[in-house]
Amino acid sequence: MSDRGVPYALSGVGVLLGAVMLCGFTYFLARGTLDAVALVTHVSSLPFAVLLAYGGYWLSHGDVSPARYRRVALWVAAAMGFFVALFAVIAFTTQSDWVVRVVILGWAASTGGGTGFLIGAFEARAVERAVAAERARVRNDELRRQNERLDDLASVISHDLRNPLTVARGYVDLLREDGDADDERLAAVSRSLDRMDRIVGETLALARSGRVIDDPEPVDLGEYARRCWSNVSTGNATLTVDSSAAVVADPGRLEHLFENLFRNAVEHGGSDVHVRVGTLDGGGFYVADDGPGIPAAERDVVFDPGYTTTEDGNGFGLAIVEQIVDAHGWEIRLAEADGGGARFEITGVETRPALGAAVADTDATLAGAG
């Protein structure tokens, strides 16, 4: 028998024992020999039989791992065997009626089986809690080591890479003071240094965005979306916020998430793109635009660091978004929006009603900034 078949076997045994005791009760009742002892015997056995029958259902529909099922069944078998062996001696030495003997053994099996199930179930739950605690400890240790590695990487990027760039910028400025300030060669060097500085900044943001969220808090989704929209150069693009819900998140990284998704929409959808932010049924939110969208063949690689389809892009924006999503324990899915644009769906998010949210704020549309 497979592990998943054990709960059904336990339920079957419970139903069978309950049927035996009901038959015995009917037998004594029909013969008119149902005394107080027989009544107590039958009544006291039924809860244990019902417990065993329901216990199989509880196992198969609860949070106990199938790997623990056989252990629970062993407790049931052991307790049942002990009770039956003990009371078999009493039944066969004190009773001559076979029906009475069967009833005594049925009571023993029901009581033993129910007791064994309780012990096995409590043990299984204790083991599950211990396993979950150990997994949480291992995960926390790994997250701590990951945060330390990310801190080291951020330190290298912030100091060891940016300092030489600052020195190079200083020499370019000195050369401009000593020579032709309009020299195209110096301008080309300056543009290259600017691009390197942007790459370093994006890489630093990517490293920091991967740190695990320690203390999330409720953040008004609509308010942050509108605030981030004003932080991004969006030209003639417009934003519509369809929700006033709050999400439990790190405010700073949620801000970076929105800013990167908004930049992505404007860069690929044009300066007149329309962006919409709203909540999803079941928890979560989305950011969609009416731009050209992302081909299905490219949706699996757009989150890869360095992937870009524009000449001046660094390919870190969506990678940072994915890192922020992972750090929160959320999931992100790229789909096609109504009208063919891109739609980023973030799920697994704890959402709440926004504090002090006004109905008038829902479906508010903002024009582009900058």
Side-chain angles (χ1 to χ4, degrees), residues 8-22 49-50 52-54:
Y8 300 102
L10 293 177
S11 293
V13 171
V15 171
L16 178 62
L17 292 174
V20 169
M21 298 309 294
L22 286 175
V50 171
L52 192 55
Y54 175 75

Side-chain angles (χ1 to χ4, degrees), residues 296-313:
E298 299 180 11
R299 292 175 187 172
D300 292 335
V301 297
V302 294
F303 295 106
D304 293 345
Y307 179 83
T308 181
T309 58
T310 60
E311 292 183 359
D312 57 347

Side-chain angles (χ1 to χ4, degrees), residues 21-207:
M21 298 309 294
L22 286 175
C23 288
F25 178 82
T26 304
Y27 172 80
F28 285 111
L29 189 63
R31 292 184 58 184
T33 57
L34 186 65
D35 56 13
V37 174
L39 181 61
V40 170
T41 300
H42 286 86
V43 171
S44 63
S45 68
L46 287 177
F48 290 99
V50 171
L51 172 64
L52 192 55
Y54 175 75
Y57 173 84
W58 175 82
L59 272 183
S60 61
H61 291 78
D63 56 358
V64 176
S65 169
R68 318 276 176 243
Y69 291 172
R70 290 187 181 274
R71 179 71 176 178
V72 175
L74 285 175
W75 274 108
V76 172
M80 188 182 295
F82 173 78
F83 272 71
V84 169
L86 178 63
F87 282 90
V89 177
I90 299 174
F92 282 90
T93 57
T94 63
Q95 302 294 328
S96 59
D97 189 335
W98 275 96
V99 176
V100 176
R101 291 175 176 176
V102 170
V103 169
I104 292 176
L105 294 178
W107 177 90
S110 299
T111 306
T115 303
F117 177 80
L118 286 176
I119 297 173
F122 277 115
E123 182 192 62
R125 292 298 299 271
V127 171
E128 289 290 323
R129 287 193 293 268
V131 170
E134 178 61 20
R135 288 175 178 170
R137 185 191 65 79
V138 172
R139 181 175 181 273
N140 289 335
D141 289 344
E142 177 60 30
L143 293 178
R144 178 180 53 79
R145 289 192 294 269
Q146 175 183 327
N147 284 346
E148 291 174 354
R149 291 193 297 268
L150 291 174
D151 286 340
D152 291 341
L153 176 60
S155 177
V156 170
I157 294 173
S158 180
H159 298 93
D160 296 353
L161 294 181
R162 272 195 163 154
N163 286 346
L165 284 175
T166 303
V167 173
R169 285 179 183 276
Y171 278 112
V172 169
D173 292 338
L174 289 175
L175 289 173
R176 281 177 171 166
E177 292 176 2
D178 295 340
D180 186 359
D182 297 327
D183 192 332
E184 278 298 321
R185 292 170 296 181
L186 290 180
V189 172
S190 182
R191 287 193 299 270
S192 297
L193 291 175
D194 289 340
R195 177 171 173 78
M196 291 174 64
D197 189 56
R198 288 197 303 271
I199 293 175
V200 168
E202 294 288 354
T203 306
L204 181 60
L206 181 64

